[in-house]
Amino acid sequence: MGTIDSVLKENRLFPPTDDFRVKANVSGMDGYNALCDKANADYAGFWGELARELVSWKTPFTKVLNEDNAPFFKWFEDGVLNVSYNCLDRHLDARGDKTAIIFEADDGAVTNVTYRDLYTRVCQFANGLKSLGVQKGDRVVIYMPHGVEAVTAMQACARIGAIHSVVFGGFSAGALRDRIQDAAAKVVITANETVRGGKTTPLKAITDEAMSLGGCDSVQKIVVFQRTQNAPEKWDALNIWWHDLIQGQASECEPEWMSAEDPLFILYTSGSTGKPKGIQHSTGGYFLGTQVTMKWVFDYKENDVYWCTADVGWITGHSYIAYGPLGIGATQVVFEGVPTYPDASRFWSMIEKHKVTTFYTAPTAIRSLIKLGGDLPKKHDLSSLRLLGTVGEPINPEAWMWYYEVVGGSRCPIVDTWWQTETGANMIAPLPGAAPTKPGSCTLPLPGIMADIVDESGAPVEAGKGGFLVISKPWPSMVRTIWGDPDRFKKTYFPEDYNGKLYLAGDSAHRDENGYIWIMGRIDDVLNVSGHRLGTMEIESALVANPLVAEAAVVGKPHDIKGESVVAYVVLKNARPEGDDAKRIAKELREWVAHEIGKIAQPDEIRFGDNLPKTRSGKIMRRLLRDIAKGAEITADTSTLENPAILDQLRQSAI
Ligand code: 6R9
């Protein structure tokens, strides 16, 4: 691990203001330490008490944690609950008329949805799904625009015990087909089109294409929400309009009472191989994770106007839009569009308009908005803000300082939240009324989260030394398995190297002298492009599926705004192209990848070679490819290289 060392040294410290600390749900480091001590003294008791306080149970659990079949841990296993009940019904008496969602469409139109409205919408749609034969345990794929209906569809699934699998609306027909097939979905919910940044994308047509790729025989119905006036090209017996489905449906729907361990949803994420993993989450433990972090990390208060800018297609949109804020009874902004449309002050004018108090976004958005108009926030009244958050990738100290000073007026704590699709909820983050923050560090593990940094043997590394980030005790909102592949779950997350005892996050990190954690990056072949996880193998498989391509290797390269960009090294079946030919083929390959996976996976740079640098045993030397992509001197030992001349060729061939 000697090679994983960080060069970043950041010593500025930003404690919360006295005013924030005094009012905070967890106040001061004493408050934080008291919670940690409690978790250390009685782990099960600690989580059990939180689960009773923050979750409404139909039948209370008698057992907190069952470790008999580790790493297939069970939490609150004999407890019975329904997540949709927890997000809607339990608020009706006290908050029925409170706004649950302030929806702002791409074109700026605003719709307010109260808790009672949302309850009715969810019940009617849940009854609609039932009328299609959807039952507890069935899988439903949701491929929709970000908006009230996507949240309604997720909540309706939760209400009737169906397992949703949301597929990000930017994914291609191929990616959608793979997910429908892997989960054997009974119903797909989509829309005729999405509208983002003034442009439409024909989701229904892409769904039709996915179906035509084959392997989707499980699908019995495709429900289509009408987002725009444009009629879909194709319409057949499989299709039903959302508005026709809910027509005449009762506005009450008795929740399906679920065991805490019944799956709530699957969400696919990239890993080290070509095949995305269906991360399976539970009902009780997952929901608890969202609630406890809303309370501690987002310091939730009844009058907050909370806004998380993620899309429901990602885990952040699941935990911090569809479930977390609704579970705790918050008013939240849901935004359909993009931060740069109609111009780069969209976020700032929305914060002003809706008097947002809590704003949660990604470093990549912050960096692009600095570039497009670092002074724009100053033209808006952002005084409603009291707390800022970031997620998805490490935030560089410059972007952090700008966010802190220009957006937060040097008054709002920033919660830099480290977590993953697999962890279900925030894991390492400052409690904003307690931990002084340092720009670029996600600071300290949450109480009850046993994070550590270890070497190859599993022994903790000393402060300042890089190592593997692990979690040494199960936690309630953790991934339960990989859908249909428990062996892969075990091998990926609880590897034998650590005797199957430690959860391996897949990130490298180090601790500083104050015990603060600094995430350094992924240790596997996963790129983080604009906060989105992309497997290099996935992109490679897409490239070699093109008839022109013989071989491909994909690596990441540091990028100012996206964090990382995608660089593809490609060997064609025919001779290496040059000049205009090379440009034309590069364009064709980019479009191909967009079509196979989605635009987010398109290589920013393509380099054609006669071959790839390989060891004598035939392994592609990715370290060299990363150095070439960066334009860096090659320092690695190239003596084991079969074909050293190839390096010069690749160095000169960027397109
Ligand atoms: C929530 C989410 C997970 C990976 C994770 C890490 C990176 C997320 C981060 C962060 C540094 C943070 N990551 N948050 N790195 N600081 N605050 O993003 O889930 O899409 O599964 O990605 O993202 O590398 O392992 P997911």
Side-chain angles (χ1 to χ4, degrees):
M1 286 304 298
T3 53
I4 305 184
D5 273 323
S6 170
V7 290
L8 196 68
K9 282 272 174 290
E10 174 62 64
N11 295 315
R12 285 172 288 192
L13 207 59
F14 297 87
T17 61
D18 288 344
D19 184 52
F20 194 100
R21 179 176 44 77
V22 169
K23 294 181 188 150
N25 293 342
V26 179
S27 187
M29 285 306 279
D30 290 351
Y32 168 77
N33 288 326
L35 286 168
C36 293
D37 291 348
K38 216 165 154 182
N40 288 331
D42 175 11
Y43 195 65
F46 171 79
W47 284 115
E49 196 180 316
L50 286 166
R52 278 183 285 269
E53 177 198 329
L54 297 170
V55 180
S56 302
W57 299 87
K58 174 85 170 166
T59 312
F61 54 90
T62 60
K63 185 167 182 173
V64 174
L65 172 61
N66 177 345
E67 302 185 79
D68 292 349
N69 189 25
F72 300 94
F73 300 101
K74 291 182 174 159
W75 285 89
F76 320 116
E77 60 184 310
D78 61 351
V80 174
L81 77 162
N82 180 282
V83 168
S84 163
Y85 175 90
N86 271 270
C87 291
L88 300 168
D89 311 41
R90 72 164 166 170
H91 301 311
L92 291 182
D93 283 346
R95 305 189 182 96
D97 295 326
K98 181 176 176 176
T99 300
I101 295 178
I102 303 168
F103 175 67
E104 183 160 320
D106 191 62
D107 67 2
V110 174
T111 316
N112 283 308
V113 182
T114 65
Y115 271 92
R116 187 163 289 109
D117 290 342
L118 189 62
Y119 167 84
T120 306
R121 289 179 187 227
V122 168
C123 286
Q124 284 186 323
F125 192 69
N127 286 326
L129 287 177
K130 276 189 178 172
S131 75
L132 299 177
V134 179
Q135 294 173 352
K136 177 177 173 176
D138 285 342
R139 274 80 55 208
V140 172
V141 162
I142 299 177
Y143 183 59
M144 293 189 78
H146 184 58
V148 178
E149 286 72 22
V151 174
T152 302
M154 292 163 82
Q155 285 283 344
C157 288
R159 194 159 191 94
I160 64 174
I163 303 167
H164 61 68
S165 165
V166 182
V167 179
F168 173 58
F171 276 131
S172 68
L176 176 60
R177 191 276 309 265
D178 292 349
R179 286 154 177 76
I180 292 173
Q181 188 175 25
D182 191 65
K186 197 176 208 176
V187 165
V188 177
I189 308 169
T190 187
N192 60 336
E193 295 185 319
T194 57
V195 192
R196 293 180 84 233
K199 294 195 199 87
T200 58
T201 308
L203 288 190
K204 168 68 167 65
I206 299 171
T207 306
D208 290 340
E209 191 190 337
M211 296 293 293
S212 74
L213 294 173
C216 301
D217 298 341
S218 59
V219 176
Q220 296 177 6
K221 215 72 186 173
I222 299 174
V223 182
V224 186
F225 170 65
Q226 186 172 8
R227 172 64 189 85
T228 64
Q229 292 311 309
N230 302 327
E233 270 175 36
K234 221 184 105 198
W235 196 262
D236 59 33
L238 269 188
N239 305 144
I240 181 167
W241 284 111
W242 174 296
H243 52 258
D244 288 337
L245 181 66
I246 59 171
Q247 187 68 40
Q249 295 293 351
S251 52
E252 303 272 328
C253 172
E254 172 70 9
E256 185 78 37
W257 297 108
M258 309 293 283
S259 145
E261 277 299 319
D262 282 335
L264 180 65
F265 66 84
I266 320 169
L267 183 62
Y268 287 80
T269 190
S270 297
S272 302
T273 75
K275 192 172 177 272
K277 303 173 279 197
I279 300 301
Q280 182 182 315
H281 277 290
S282 69
T283 296
Y286 169 80
F287 183 66
L288 174 61
T290 67
Q291 296 308 287
V292 74
T293 49
M294 283 303 299
K295 180 174 170 186
W296 289 346
V297 180
F298 296 101
D299 190 48
Y300 173 69
K301 301 281 158 56
E302 188 68 41
N303 293 326
D304 275 340
V305 178
Y306 163 100
W307 181 15
C308 166
T309 67
D311 186 288
V312 282
W314 309 107
I315 190 66
T316 306
H318 282 59
S319 303
Y320 296 106
I321 295 177
Y323 294 114
L326 294 178
I328 209 156
T331 293
Q332 68 172 324
V333 175
V334 172
F335 174 45
E336 182 180 43
V338 298
T340 49
Y341 180 83
D343 58 47
S345 55
R346 184 72 183 260
F347 276 0
W348 322 129
S349 63
M350 281 181 65
I351 291 172
E352 178 172 5
K353 176 156 73 177
H354 302 300
K355 301 201 167 41
V356 172
T357 60
T358 311
F359 183 64
Y360 190 29
T361 194
T364 185
I366 297 169
R367 288 191 297 264
S368 73
L369 292 174
I370 295 174
K371 193 163 177 192
L372 292 169
D375 284 336
L376 289 176
K378 293 183 184 146
K379 300 198 173 114
H380 296 268
D381 177 5
L382 305 183
S383 60
S384 57
L385 286 172
R386 65 178 197 91
L387 178 61
L388 302 172
T390 76
V391 58
E393 55 183 310
I395 179 164
N396 48 311
E398 297 70 34
W400 194 101
M401 284 307 303
W402 179 85
Y403 197 32
Y404 185 76
E405 289 174 344
V406 182
V407 179
S410 302
R411 128 194 119 253
C412 309
I414 297 179
V415 289
D416 176 347
T417 59
W418 178 87
W419 61 296
Q420 310 175 291
T421 306
E422 293 87 340
T423 69
N426 298 165
M427 298 289 279
I428 308 175
L431 300 196
T437 49
K438 294 186 192 185
S441 169
C442 53
T443 75
L444 301 165
L446 301 186
I449 300 299
M450 306 304 176
D452 214 337
I453 299 168
V454 300
D455 64 17
E456 271 117 355
S457 71
V461 297
E462 56 189 283
K465 283 268 172 293
F468 302 109
L469 180 62
V470 296
I471 315 291
S472 60
K473 262 184 185 295
W475 65 100
S477 65
M478 68 193 296
V479 47
R480 293 302 192 264
T481 186
I482 292 176
W483 181 261
D485 203 346
D487 284 345
R488 190 175 175 200
F489 165 76
K490 249 172 123 159
K491 282 196 195 106
T492 311
Y493 301 114
F494 293 91
E496 272 313 311
D497 311 4
Y498 302 142
N499 302 319
K501 295 274 187 249
L502 300 177
Y503 169 84
L504 182 69
D507 281 347
S508 60
H510 76 273
R511 268 200 166 106
D512 66 18
E513 60 284 3
N514 303 120
Y516 276 36
I517 293 173
W518 300 76
I519 306 291
M520 286 141 67
R522 298 285 308 187
I523 53 169
D524 50 12
D525 292 323
V526 172
L527 307 183
N528 191 329
V529 179
S530 302
H532 300 317
R533 269 164 74 169
L534 291 171
T536 53
M537 289 274 286
E538 270 172 88
I539 309 176
E540 287 166 11
S541 320
L543 283 166
V544 293
N546 184 289
L548 297 175
V549 176
E551 213 176 1
V554 168
V555 299
K557 165 180 167 175
H559 186 278
D560 279 357
I561 291 179
K562 301 195 217 181
E564 239 177 334
S565 64
V566 180
V567 179
Y569 293 84
V570 176
V571 181
L572 297 184
K573 287 179 185 154
N574 292 328
R576 186 169 82 96
E578 291 186 87
D580 285 349
D581 247 7
K583 280 194 191 127
R584 183 179 50 78
I585 297 176
K587 181 163 177 268
E588 197 177 314
L589 293 181
R590 282 193 181 101
E591 281 161 10
W592 173 269
V593 172
H595 183 260
E596 291 289 296
I597 305 176
K599 271 208 173 108
I600 49 169
Q602 271 185 328
D604 295 77
E605 200 175 291
I606 294 184
R607 288 168 185 255
F608 292 107
D610 292 324
N611 209 330
L612 296 172
K614 287 185 191 157
T615 61
R616 295 203 171 93
S617 61
K619 274 212 172 71
I620 297 173
M621 294 187 73
R622 284 164 195 281
R623 269 209 19 229
L624 294 183
L625 295 178
R626 279 192 279 268
D627 283 346
I628 294 174
K630 273 193 274 189
E633 272 307 303
I634 291 175
T635 49
D637 179 12
T638 53
S639 59
T640 53
L641 204 57
E642 174 78 37
N643 48 349
I646 197 70
L647 297 181
D648 268 340
Q649 187 183 67
L650 292 173
R651 213 180 266 126
Q652 286 158 19
S653 63
I655 298 169

